[in-house]
Amino acid sequence: MNFPVLYLRKGAERRLRAGHLWVYSNEVDIQRSPLTQFEAGTQAELRASNDKPLGVVFVNPHALICGRLISRDAAQGMTPNRLTQRMETALVLRERLFDKPFYRWVFGDSDGLSGLVIDRFGDTVVVQISTAGMEQMKESIVRAVQRLVHPKAIILKNDGKMRKVEGLDTYIEQAHGPEVSLLEVEENGVRFEVPLEGGQKTGWFYDHRMNRQRLQAYAPGKRVLDVFSYVGGWGIQAACAGATQVTCVDASSTAIDSVHHNASLNGLENVETIESDAFDALKALAEEKEKYDIVVLDPPALIPRRRDQKAGEQAYARLNQLGLRLLERDGILVSASCSMHLPQEKLVDIIRGSGRKIDRFVQLLEQGHQAPDHPIIPGIPETDYIKSCFVRSLTGFM
């Protein structure tokens, strides 16, 4: 294949040689290869300043990440056949890991498919495309899904924030099969139904699967508070594992309705809800002298951008202090984060500081990461974003 050439500035290839796959616009030699000459979604040969080929990238001249490496072979771009092969390779791993078709099938760069996320919900497959390059492969993606897993329905849920950055329209489209309004999920032996429209991301977060499974070991006989509950992923699994009472907190009325629906779906009568801002709810519960055996904190990313680092870390600190205050003397705090910019060791340090701030003796029992259907690429730190800490909190101990 003949590709136009995108040249890098001197030394800009070091990160790519170390294993990363992204090219930033300030790394491009715009004298030799003006970004304005490329259309969004074009495939181009990437070369170092010394003319050495580095591979093939999807180019988007309008985005900060203006190049995404799709092949380290400068003669091989992304074709429908290569796309299908990579999707099949990703599928083999998930089928090895899980005995039922409920998982993240494709996780973007981690599966060599930058800008593409695919989740399976039984007979329904939800596809999210976030880059201009993958948008041009849309029909090939749908055909590959049909060929590889033969689902009853395929939904293109292309309404994520990244599409605006890439200059793409947002839409939700039924690409194949009968219309679907509820997604069925089975995780760790617990059933859920999630509304497709208005739901977050693809509708479900499989990334905390293993951490929610670990929560089940702590839950029997305990009173549990699930904060930022969304549709009840943590709390309902705790209730199914034997928690005596579960309270789910979320600001979304739709999410709260889903919690009640999913509790009923699993035959639970011990799940209650609070529709409120999480910080306001935690303060109100503290004022009411409420206490729980387990408090789960799983907020959305509080550090969405690097420039939000300080404010985000302060928010995590406030959140963890509030959570610790609501625990019984020998309680368990599950503190989770999906902020890419918050390293695991920093979350641990925030918990340490929060414990000291309110005079709690804390023991770090376990640390959790993202499930293996969200593989991490060592050269791409952005693929490593999920973390959780299971912490025992003791009052009056020392």
Side-chain angles (χ1 to χ4, degrees):
M1 298 177 69
N2 293 318
F3 301 107
V5 178
L6 184 70
Y7 288 98
L8 293 180
R9 293 173 182 263
K10 187 176 181 179
E13 74 278 3
R14 292 193 189 100
R15 190 166 39 81
L16 296 170
R17 292 194 188 282
H20 214 295
L21 300 176
W22 298 352
V23 176
Y24 291 93
S25 56
N26 62 359
E27 295 174 323
V28 174
D29 185 341
I30 56 173
Q31 299 301 317
R32 298 180 73 184
S33 53
L35 280 170
T36 52
Q37 74 182 10
F38 296 93
E39 291 186 10
T42 298
Q43 297 187 42
E45 180 186 340
L46 186 67
R47 291 186 190 176
S49 60
N50 62 0
D51 265 330
K52 188 164 184 179
L54 298 170
V56 177
V57 291
F58 278 137
V59 181
N60 189 338
H62 312 300
L64 176 62
I65 303 172
C66 68
R68 294 172 181 270
L69 198 64
I70 52 178
S71 172
R72 291 189 182 272
D73 182 345
Q76 300 291 329
M78 184 63 71
T79 63
N81 187 52
R82 176 163 288 199
L83 174 83
T84 303
Q85 288 174 350
R86 290 190 182 177
M87 287 173 59
E88 185 173 22
T89 299
L91 182 63
V92 167
L93 171 66
R94 279 65 175 187
E95 290 186 332
R96 184 189 309 162
L97 293 170
F98 307 111
D99 60 359
K100 292 185 178 180
F102 299 95
Y103 45 70
R104 174 144 294 180
W105 171 4
V106 171
F107 182 44
D109 291 286
S110 293
D111 288 300
L113 295 164
S114 190
L116 179 63
V117 165
I118 304 177
D119 282 351
R120 287 189 77 183
F121 300 95
D123 289 330
T124 298
V125 173
V126 178
V127 176
Q128 277 206 321
I129 297 170
S130 60
T131 62
M134 277 298 169
E135 183 72 13
Q136 293 197 6
M137 306 285 300
K138 181 173 72 171
E139 292 182 5
S140 297
I141 292 167
V142 172
R143 285 197 299 270
V145 170
Q146 290 174 306
R147 173 183 163 188
L148 292 170
V149 299
H150 312 292
K152 288 182 179 178
I154 302 173
I155 298 156
L156 299 174
K157 196 169 187 294
N158 292 331
D159 56 355
K161 295 177 182 177
M162 277 298 299
R163 290 183 64 87
K164 184 176 181 180
V165 174
E166 290 272 322
L168 299 172
D169 293 334
T170 60
Y171 62 91
I172 298 176
E173 177 184 316
Q174 192 80 28
H176 170 73
E179 186 174 341
V180 175
S181 58
L182 280 178
L183 298 172
E184 295 184 6
V185 182
E186 184 176 321
E187 184 179 280
N188 301 323
V190 181
R191 294 177 59 207
F192 296 88
E193 289 182 347
V194 183
L196 176 67
E197 195 162 344
Q200 298 179 24
K201 301 294 178 73
T202 61
W204 182 257
F205 299 94
Y206 284 120
D207 45 18
H208 269 302
R209 176 199 305 259
M210 302 308 189
N211 301 321
R212 288 191 283 256
Q213 185 178 54
R214 285 303 303 148
L215 175 64
Q216 294 186 15
Y218 293 89
K222 304 301 182 184
R223 191 168 182 236
V224 178
L225 179 67
D226 177 9
V227 187
F228 304 97
S229 67
Y230 185 39
V231 297
W234 293 86
I236 287 178
Q237 291 193 40
C240 286
T244 55
Q245 193 262 326
V246 171
T247 301
C248 291
V249 179
D250 202 278
S252 164
S253 60
T254 302
I256 291 296
D257 289 343
S258 291
V259 170
H260 290 292
H261 176 77
N262 289 321
S264 176
L265 193 65
N266 288 280
L268 301 171
E269 298 181 352
N270 60 341
V271 177
E272 61 182 37
T273 59
I274 298 173
E275 184 181 332
S276 170
D277 171 81
F279 286 90
D280 292 343
L282 290 171
K283 290 173 186 174
L285 290 169
E287 290 171 0
E288 294 164 9
K289 308 297 183 186
E290 290 283 357
K291 293 290 181 181
Y292 299 88
D293 301 301
I294 299 173
V295 173
V296 179
L297 306 173
D298 183 17
L302 299 179
I303 313 176
R305 298 157 298 188
R306 195 168 295 281
R307 67 186 181 191
D308 302 315
Q309 192 80 32
K310 184 177 180 180
E313 289 181 6
Q314 291 172 345
Y316 278 110
R318 291 198 306 273
L319 186 62
N320 280 273
Q321 289 170 31
L322 288 165
L324 286 168
R325 287 186 188 278
L326 288 172
L327 285 172
E328 295 283 6
R329 179 188 179 276
D330 185 6
I332 300 293
L333 175 72
V334 181
S335 182
S337 169
C338 62
S339 290
M340 176 184 68
H341 300 297
L342 185 73
Q344 181 94 15
E345 59 270 19
K346 185 59 183 179
L347 178 59
V348 172
D349 191 55
I350 287 172
I351 294 168
R352 175 204 60 76
S354 298
R356 294 306 311 131
K357 181 84 172 177
I358 63 171
D359 196 25
R360 299 291 192 274
F361 182 81
V362 295
Q363 299 170 320
L364 181 58
L365 306 181
E366 300 186 35
Q367 297 184 65
H369 303 276
Q370 60 214 56
D373 53 351
H374 292 67
I376 295 165
I377 301 303
I380 309 178
E382 292 85 356
T383 61
D384 182 5
Y385 70 104
I386 284 289
K387 67 279 300 181
S388 69
C389 294
F390 286 68
V391 176
R392 185 186 187 203
S393 172
L394 296 167
T395 56
F397 183 72
M398 291 187 71

